[in-house]
mmCIF file of all heavy atoms in Angstrom:
data_model
loop_
_atom_site.group_PDB
_atom_site.id
_atom_site.type_symbol
_atom_site.label_atom_id
_atom_site.label_comp_id
_atom_site.label_asym_id
_atom_site.label_seq_id
_atom_site.Cartn_x
_atom_site.Cartn_y
_atom_site.Cartn_z
ATOM 1 N N LEU A 301 24.422 -21.622 33.496
ATOM 2 C CA LEU A 301 23.592 -20.928 34.469
ATOM 3 C C LEU A 301 22.043 -21.369 34.258
ATOM 4 O O LEU A 301 21.626 -21.138 33.145
ATOM 5 C CB LEU A 301 23.685 -19.415 34.287
ATOM 6 C CG LEU A 301 22.615 -18.517 34.899
ATOM 7 C CD1 LEU A 301 22.651 -18.766 36.541
ATOM 8 C CD2 LEU A 301 22.744 -17.040 34.660
ATOM 9 N N ARG A 303 18.685 -20.404 35.612
ATOM 10 C CA ARG A 303 18.045 -19.517 36.556
ATOM 11 C C ARG A 303 16.782 -20.139 37.021
ATOM 12 O O ARG A 303 15.970 -20.395 36.224
ATOM 13 C CB ARG A 303 17.654 -18.212 35.782
ATOM 14 C CG ARG A 303 18.855 -17.405 35.205
ATOM 15 C CD ARG A 303 18.376 -16.097 34.492
ATOM 16 N NE ARG A 303 19.364 -15.127 34.282
ATOM 17 C CZ ARG A 303 20.033 -14.957 33.137
ATOM 18 N NH1 ARG A 303 19.673 -15.738 32.034
ATOM 19 N NH2 ARG A 303 20.893 -14.009 33.059
ATOM 20 N N ARG A 339 21.544 -22.451 39.744
ATOM 21 C CA ARG A 339 21.632 -21.371 40.669
ATOM 22 C C ARG A 339 20.384 -21.259 41.593
ATOM 23 O O ARG A 339 19.290 -21.388 41.005
ATOM 24 C CB ARG A 339 21.750 -19.945 39.899
ATOM 25 C CG ARG A 339 21.888 -18.824 40.772
ATOM 26 C CD ARG A 339 21.992 -17.422 39.996
ATOM 27 N NE ARG A 339 20.824 -17.097 39.270
ATOM 28 C CZ ARG A 339 20.752 -16.040 38.552
ATOM 29 N NH1 ARG A 339 21.779 -15.321 38.330
ATOM 30 N NH2 ARG A 339 19.614 -15.648 38.134
ATOM 31 N N ASP A 342 17.008 -16.485 42.545
ATOM 32 C CA ASP A 342 17.384 -15.037 42.587
ATOM 33 C C ASP A 342 16.095 -14.244 42.520
ATOM 34 O O ASP A 342 15.999 -13.503 41.502
ATOM 35 C CB ASP A 342 18.380 -14.834 41.442
ATOM 36 C CG ASP A 342 18.789 -13.339 41.416
ATOM 37 O OD1 ASP A 342 18.565 -12.603 42.348
ATOM 38 O OD2 ASP A 342 19.520 -12.946 40.432
ATOM 39 N N LYS A 347 12.476 -9.484 39.826
ATOM 40 C CA LYS A 347 11.827 -10.580 39.633
ATOM 41 C C LYS A 347 11.025 -10.960 40.890
ATOM 42 O O LYS A 347 11.611 -11.558 41.821
ATOM 43 C CB LYS A 347 12.717 -11.813 39.311
ATOM 44 C CG LYS A 347 13.475 -11.713 37.999
ATOM 45 C CD LYS A 347 14.542 -12.669 37.780
ATOM 46 C CE LYS A 347 15.869 -12.102 38.130
ATOM 47 N NZ LYS A 347 17.076 -12.706 37.745
ATOM 48 N N ARG A 365 16.801 -9.483 48.213
ATOM 49 C CA ARG A 365 16.938 -10.167 46.923
ATOM 50 C C ARG A 365 17.810 -11.400 47.072
ATOM 51 O O ARG A 365 18.789 -11.394 47.832
ATOM 52 C CB ARG A 365 17.616 -9.162 45.888
ATOM 53 C CG ARG A 365 17.746 -9.783 44.563
ATOM 54 C CD ARG A 365 18.419 -8.856 43.577
ATOM 55 N NE ARG A 365 18.772 -9.533 42.387
ATOM 56 C CZ ARG A 365 19.541 -9.218 41.420
ATOM 57 N NH1 ARG A 365 20.091 -8.108 41.454
ATOM 58 N NH2 ARG A 365 19.909 -10.089 40.460
ATOM 59 N N PRO A 398 23.520 -16.937 44.288
ATOM 60 C CA PRO A 398 23.570 -15.581 43.715
ATOM 61 C C PRO A 398 23.629 -14.452 44.706
ATOM 62 O O PRO A 398 23.370 -14.589 45.830
ATOM 63 C CB PRO A 398 22.154 -15.416 43.048
ATOM 64 C CG PRO A 398 21.284 -16.296 43.847
ATOM 65 C CD PRO A 398 22.230 -17.483 44.419
ATOM 66 N N MET A 399 24.224 -13.234 44.293
ATOM 67 C CA MET A 399 24.256 -11.979 45.006
ATOM 68 C C MET A 399 25.067 -12.068 46.385
ATOM 69 O O MET A 399 24.620 -11.551 47.399
ATOM 70 C CB MET A 399 22.889 -11.580 45.385
ATOM 71 C CG MET A 399 22.107 -10.912 44.295
ATOM 72 S SD MET A 399 22.846 -9.256 44.077
ATOM 73 C CE MET A 399 22.050 -8.409 45.542
ATOM 74 N N MET A 436 28.046 -16.517 42.433
ATOM 75 C CA MET A 436 28.044 -15.559 41.473
ATOM 76 C C MET A 436 28.944 -14.406 42.183
ATOM 77 O O MET A 436 28.784 -13.988 43.173
ATOM 78 C CB MET A 436 26.604 -14.985 41.169
ATOM 79 C CG MET A 436 25.672 -15.934 40.732
ATOM 80 S SD MET A 436 25.616 -16.023 38.962
ATOM 81 C CE MET A 436 25.334 -14.429 38.370
ATOM 82 N N GLU A 438 28.824 -10.750 41.503
ATOM 83 C CA GLU A 438 28.050 -9.766 40.795
ATOM 84 C C GLU A 438 27.913 -8.406 41.644
ATOM 85 O O GLU A 438 27.132 -7.626 41.354
ATOM 86 C CB GLU A 438 26.786 -10.236 40.341
ATOM 87 C CG GLU A 438 25.890 -11.121 41.436
ATOM 88 C CD GLU A 438 24.666 -11.631 40.895
ATOM 89 O OE1 GLU A 438 24.273 -11.406 39.765
ATOM 90 O OE2 GLU A 438 24.199 -12.682 41.575
ATOM 91 N N GLY A 459 28.816 -12.332 37.173
ATOM 92 C CA GLY A 459 27.467 -11.862 36.647
ATOM 93 C C GLY A 459 27.669 -10.423 36.364
ATOM 94 O O GLY A 459 27.347 -9.482 37.029
ATOM 95 N N THR A 460 28.010 -10.212 35.000
ATOM 96 C CA THR A 460 28.307 -8.788 34.610
ATOM 97 C C THR A 460 27.015 -7.951 34.519
ATOM 98 O O THR A 460 27.078 -6.688 34.582
ATOM 99 C CB THR A 460 29.029 -8.711 33.314
ATOM 100 O OG1 THR A 460 28.402 -9.709 32.443
ATOM 101 C CG2 THR A 460 30.508 -9.201 33.393
ATOM 102 N N ASN A 461 25.828 -8.610 34.384
ATOM 103 C CA ASN A 461 24.603 -7.728 34.300
ATOM 104 C C ASN A 461 24.380 -7.050 35.614
ATOM 105 O O ASN A 461 24.110 -5.857 35.465
ATOM 106 C CB ASN A 461 23.389 -8.723 34.085
ATOM 107 C CG ASN A 461 23.526 -9.621 32.759
ATOM 108 O OD1 ASN A 461 24.371 -9.356 31.969
ATOM 109 N ND2 ASN A 461 22.792 -10.601 32.773
ATOM 110 N N ASP A 462 24.540 -7.727 36.612
ATOM 111 C CA ASP A 462 24.534 -6.959 38.002
ATOM 112 C C ASP A 462 25.748 -6.294 38.365
ATOM 113 O O ASP A 462 25.674 -5.212 38.894
ATOM 114 C CB ASP A 462 24.128 -8.055 38.960
ATOM 115 C CG ASP A 462 22.662 -8.238 39.065
ATOM 116 O OD1 ASP A 462 21.837 -7.250 38.956
ATOM 117 O OD2 ASP A 462 22.151 -9.419 39.053
ATOM 118 N N LEU A 463 26.900 -6.865 38.136
ATOM 119 C CA LEU A 463 28.148 -6.160 38.567
ATOM 120 C C LEU A 463 28.230 -4.866 37.902
ATOM 121 O O LEU A 463 28.566 -3.838 38.510
ATOM 122 C CB LEU A 463 29.290 -7.088 38.065
ATOM 123 C CG LEU A 463 30.641 -6.642 38.545
ATOM 124 C CD1 LEU A 463 30.650 -6.635 40.108
ATOM 125 C CD2 LEU A 463 31.796 -7.507 38.099
ATOM 126 N N GLN A 465 25.662 -2.917 36.909
ATOM 127 C CA GLN A 465 24.770 -1.952 37.446
ATOM 128 C C GLN A 465 25.263 -1.404 39.020
ATOM 129 O O GLN A 465 25.069 -0.333 39.294
ATOM 130 C CB GLN A 465 23.321 -2.425 37.535
ATOM 131 C CG GLN A 465 23.024 -3.367 38.655
ATOM 132 C CD GLN A 465 21.478 -3.592 38.950
ATOM 133 O OE1 GLN A 465 20.674 -2.643 38.421
ATOM 134 N NE2 GLN A 465 21.057 -4.615 39.572
ATOM 135 N N TYR A 466 25.796 -2.427 39.640
ATOM 136 C CA TYR A 466 26.326 -2.009 40.940
ATOM 137 C C TYR A 466 27.595 -1.104 40.988
ATOM 138 O O TYR A 466 27.676 -0.271 41.797
ATOM 139 C CB TYR A 466 26.516 -3.309 41.925
ATOM 140 C CG TYR A 466 25.186 -3.959 42.148
ATOM 141 C CD1 TYR A 466 25.052 -5.336 41.881
ATOM 142 C CD2 TYR A 466 24.066 -3.272 42.527
ATOM 143 C CE1 TYR A 466 23.745 -6.019 42.223
ATOM 144 C CE2 TYR A 466 22.830 -3.901 42.891
ATOM 145 C CZ TYR A 466 22.706 -5.161 42.605
ATOM 146 O OH TYR A 466 21.566 -5.842 42.865
ATOM 147 N N ARG A 472 19.798 -1.523 35.982
ATOM 148 C CA ARG A 472 19.923 -2.088 34.627
ATOM 149 C C ARG A 472 18.673 -2.059 33.796
ATOM 150 O O ARG A 472 18.722 -2.347 32.687
ATOM 151 C CB ARG A 472 20.310 -3.643 34.943
ATOM 152 C CG ARG A 472 19.367 -4.443 35.595
ATOM 153 C CD ARG A 472 20.064 -5.728 36.090
ATOM 154 N NE ARG A 472 19.689 -6.935 35.198
ATOM 155 C CZ ARG A 472 20.055 -8.245 35.556
ATOM 156 N NH1 ARG A 472 20.757 -8.384 36.553
ATOM 157 N NH2 ARG A 472 19.637 -9.131 34.716
ATOM 158 N N CYS A 509 28.963 -15.426 33.204
ATOM 159 C CA CYS A 509 27.611 -15.725 32.696
ATOM 160 C C CYS A 509 26.727 -14.483 32.412
ATOM 161 O O CYS A 509 25.509 -14.669 32.160
ATOM 162 C CB CYS A 509 26.903 -16.750 33.541
ATOM 163 S SG CYS A 509 26.617 -16.106 35.137
HETATM 164 MG MG1 MG B 602 22.570 -11.291 38.507
#
Side-chain angles (χ1 to χ4, degrees):
L301 168 64
R303 294 179 165 103
R339 181 177 76 182
D342 180 7
K347 294 169 264 192
R365 179 184 169 189
M399 279 286 289
M436 297 274 303
E438 51 187 346
T460 45
N461 305 342
D462 278 312
L463 190 59
Q465 78 162 342
Y466 294 129
R472 64 196 256 188
C509 63

